[in-house]
Amino acid sequence: MSTDSDAPAAVPATYADYASDRTEPRFTDWLRARSGDAWDDATAHEFAHELHADTLDDVVFRRYLLQDYAFVETLVGVFGYAVGDAPTMAAKSRLVEFLGTVTSEENDYFQRSFEALDVPESRYSDPQLAEPTAAFRDCLLRAAREGGYAETLAVLVPAEWVYLSWATDGELATADGPDRFYLQEWIDLHAVPEFESFVNWLRTELDREGAAASERRQARLAELFCRTVDLEVAFFDAAYDGKHSRETLGDDR
């Protein structure tokens, strides 16, 4: 986890210090800076490079997709907490709208991709969780159950922002994109203007909540944000565990 000792020396330890010499400071910019090198490790991971370049091994992507499908179930639940804690009906409506997209369009993508990748329903309906997946789910659930709206946002914002970053990175994108539909559509889902608008809205919500929080709570929000970024890196890393083994489905596939 990124801590005060390994965060960039130029990044102030408190948001008040960070904001003191900036005309339009954003709480989420401070959080991203506090996450240090882990942010670049997540947004420019080997997984993102190979995904854009269409060189990602199907075994790696299959392993990743199984874990991500399990993770999304928890993510939907955490968004549910956010809906309950959101301060206005407008905010609740925006969150519910996004939940509708995840449970319909994105779920349809998973189903079609699992079929194309020869993943039986028994595998994705009850997957064996990798250690980073279990830790990620625990982090999100603890933040939502033990905190409030700001704590929930502190884990949701990096979880979504990281994906927007690598999906829209012009240095990673190729002219034609991947030929395999399940790779191209995974990029597209996180590169559309609607998703970018939603992530920017989430950031604005956390900017407001974080700036108004006490210094002690701000430190807790920073801890949650950095922990989430660290887990994003571990999540991508885990897809490469045993990269040259074909045992991802429990057989010799």
Side-chain angles (χ1 to χ4, degrees):
M1 180 188 301
S2 301
T3 64
D4 286 353
S5 61
D6 58 21
V11 181
T14 68
Y15 178 64
D17 287 341
Y18 174 85
S20 64
D21 61 351
R22 287 171 171 79
T23 304
E24 296 182 357
R26 295 193 66 174
F27 187 72
T28 52
D29 282 338
W30 175 66
L31 294 177
R32 179 177 57 180
R34 292 295 298 167
S35 67
D37 291 341
W39 181 265
D40 291 334
D41 292 342
T43 59
H45 195 279
E46 177 184 7
F47 180 91
H49 279 273
E50 293 187 348
L51 177 61
H52 277 280
D54 202 10
T55 59
L56 190 61
D57 192 318
D58 272 349
V59 172
V60 172
F61 191 66
R62 187 160 49 216
R63 186 183 292 119
Y64 162 83
L65 210 63
L66 280 165
Q67 295 301 311
D68 198 72
Y69 193 60
F71 172 75
V72 166
E73 182 179 352
T74 300
L75 189 67
V76 168
V78 173
F79 267 104
Y81 278 97
V83 172
D85 289 337
T88 66
M89 288 300 293
K92 293 178 188 293
S93 178
R94 193 73 186 268
L95 291 162
V96 168
E97 181 181 355
F98 180 73
L99 276 173
T101 299
V102 173
T103 56
S104 58
E105 294 175 22
E106 190 164 320
N107 188 65
D108 175 69
Y109 161 81
F110 277 111
Q111 298 298 321
R112 289 184 292 106
S113 298
F114 284 139
E115 181 178 0
L117 289 163
D118 295 325
V119 180
E121 183 177 358
S122 59
R123 290 289 294 161
Y124 64 77
S125 63
D126 185 27
Q128 181 177 350
L129 299 184
E131 184 176 340
T133 309
F136 213 156
R137 291 175 63 169
D138 182 67
C139 176
L140 264 65
L141 289 171
R142 283 180 177 271
R145 290 171 177 170
E146 299 175 6
Y149 188 53
E151 283 75 18
T152 303
L153 289 172
V155 294
L156 291 179
V157 167
E160 302 298 339
W161 193 5
V162 162
Y163 274 60
L164 173 66
S165 296
W166 64 251
T168 58
D169 189 335
E171 294 185 4
L172 295 179
T174 59
D176 299 325
D179 289 331
R180 288 168 284 176
F181 83 85
Y182 42 85
L183 300 187
Q184 183 61 60
E185 287 190 26
W186 193 235
I187 297 171
D188 292 342
L189 280 168
H190 301 99
V192 294
E194 292 81 3
F195 183 66
E196 181 175 8
S197 175
F198 179 70
V199 173
N200 288 334
W201 176 81
L202 279 180
R203 288 187 59 196
T204 299
E205 290 289 286
L206 183 53
D207 285 337
R208 183 192 65 245
E209 296 291 321
S214 67
E215 185 174 306
R216 181 176 180 179
R217 192 178 188 190
Q218 287 174 345
R220 173 58 176 158
L221 298 177
E223 179 183 353
L224 288 168
F225 186 101
C226 293
R227 173 63 172 159
T228 303
V229 176
D230 288 340
L231 286 169
E232 288 283 11
V233 178
F235 194 87
F236 288 135
D237 286 345
Y240 288 87
D241 288 348
K243 178 176 179 179
H244 302 294
S245 169
R246 317 306 291 189
E247 297 175 355
T248 193
L249 295 181
D251 57 21
D252 294 327
R253 189 182 301 278

